[in-house]
């Protein structure tokens, strides 16, 4: 006399006092494999989304960092073109580079504040002091110092490239 019992995914056939297990149907095997397959596929999709998000973050940072770099170059170019550090250009430089210490590092923020800004303010001050000064030693000294600052600012194009190059590389 045989009796049939269902135990989990297996069919158990009882023959007298002995139990024998029957092979599960192929649909039961597929159903059992479906969950881990979906989990692996879902993990792959999540990993690819994470990679895409990392690349997007890198691109966003590049764009913001390049804007700071470009603002510094535009400011130096405006001083070179006019020979003066104009108020409007100085304000644009200051407002465009305000995020430097968060986007780049303290070294570049200090460089902007203590070198470029300081020399631009000195150039502006010297230019203002030059008005009304008669020809002579004081005027000559003022003009020479302005020339030194302008040469220094011109040399900053190369320095900017060196300081920004680690931050403006897009590597795959």
């Amino acid at each position: 006399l045989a009796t049939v019992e269902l135990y989990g995914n297996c069919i158990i056939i009882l023959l007298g006092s002995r139990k024998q297990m029957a092979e599960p149907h192929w649909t039961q095997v597929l159903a059992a494999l479906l969950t881990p397959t979906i989990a692996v596929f879902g993990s792959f999709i999540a990993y690819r989304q994470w990679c895409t998000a990392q690349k997007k973050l890198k691109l966003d940072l590049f764009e913001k960092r390049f804007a700071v770099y470009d603002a510094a170059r535009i400011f130096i170019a405006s001083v070179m073109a006019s020979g003066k550090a104009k108020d409007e250009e100085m304000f644009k430089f200051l407002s465009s580079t305000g995020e430097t210490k968060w986007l780049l590092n303290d070294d570049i923020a200090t460089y902007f504040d203590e070198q470029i800004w300081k020399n631009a303010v000195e150039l502006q001050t010297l230019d203002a002091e030059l008005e009304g000064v008669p020809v002579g030693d004081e005027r000559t000294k003022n003009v020479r110092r302005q020339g030194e600052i302008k040469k220094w600012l011109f040399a900053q194009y190369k320095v900017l490239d060196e300081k920004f190059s680690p931050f403006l590389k897009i590597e795959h």
Side-chain angles (χ1 to χ4, degrees), residues 37-139:
T37 303
I38 290 172
V40 167
F41 189 65
S43 297
F44 175 74
I45 290 172
Y47 172 74
R48 293 302 302 162
Q49 286 177 336
W50 178 80
C51 288
T52 302
Q54 291 298 328
K55 289 177 182 177
K56 174 74 171 128
L57 173 65
K58 196 169 198 174
L59 179 63
D60 290 346
L61 274 174
F62 174 84
E63 288 174 350
K64 289 181 179 197
R65 289 171 173 170
F66 190 81
V68 171
Y69 170 77
D70 200 37
R73 289 185 60 87
I74 288 170
F75 176 67
I76 292 170
S78 73
V79 172
M80 294 289 95
S82 68
K84 298 179 180 186
K86 298 177 183 173
D87 287 338
E88 312 86 53
E89 299 300 325
M90 290 180 69
F91 177 74
K92 284 181 191 175
F93 172 75
L94 198 59
S95 63
S96 299
T97 59
E99 301 171 340
T100 302
K101 68 180 173 182
W102 292 282
L103 290 173
L104 300 157
N105 62 22
D106 287 335
D107 178 47
I108 296 176
T110 302
Y111 167 70
F112 281 165
D113 292 341
E114 294 179 7
Q115 292 184 28
I116 291 184
W117 181 256
K118 180 182 166 190
N119 279 295
V121 169
E122 185 179 357
L123 182 63
Q124 192 178 47
T125 303
L126 287 168
D127 186 53
E129 289 174 353
L130 190 61
E131 291 180 28
V133 175
V135 176
D137 288 340
E138 189 177 335
R139 185 176 187 90

Side-chain angles (χ1 to χ4, degrees), residues 58 169-172:
K58 196 169 198 174
K169 290 182 180 174
I170 297 182
E171 298 168 350
H172 299 288

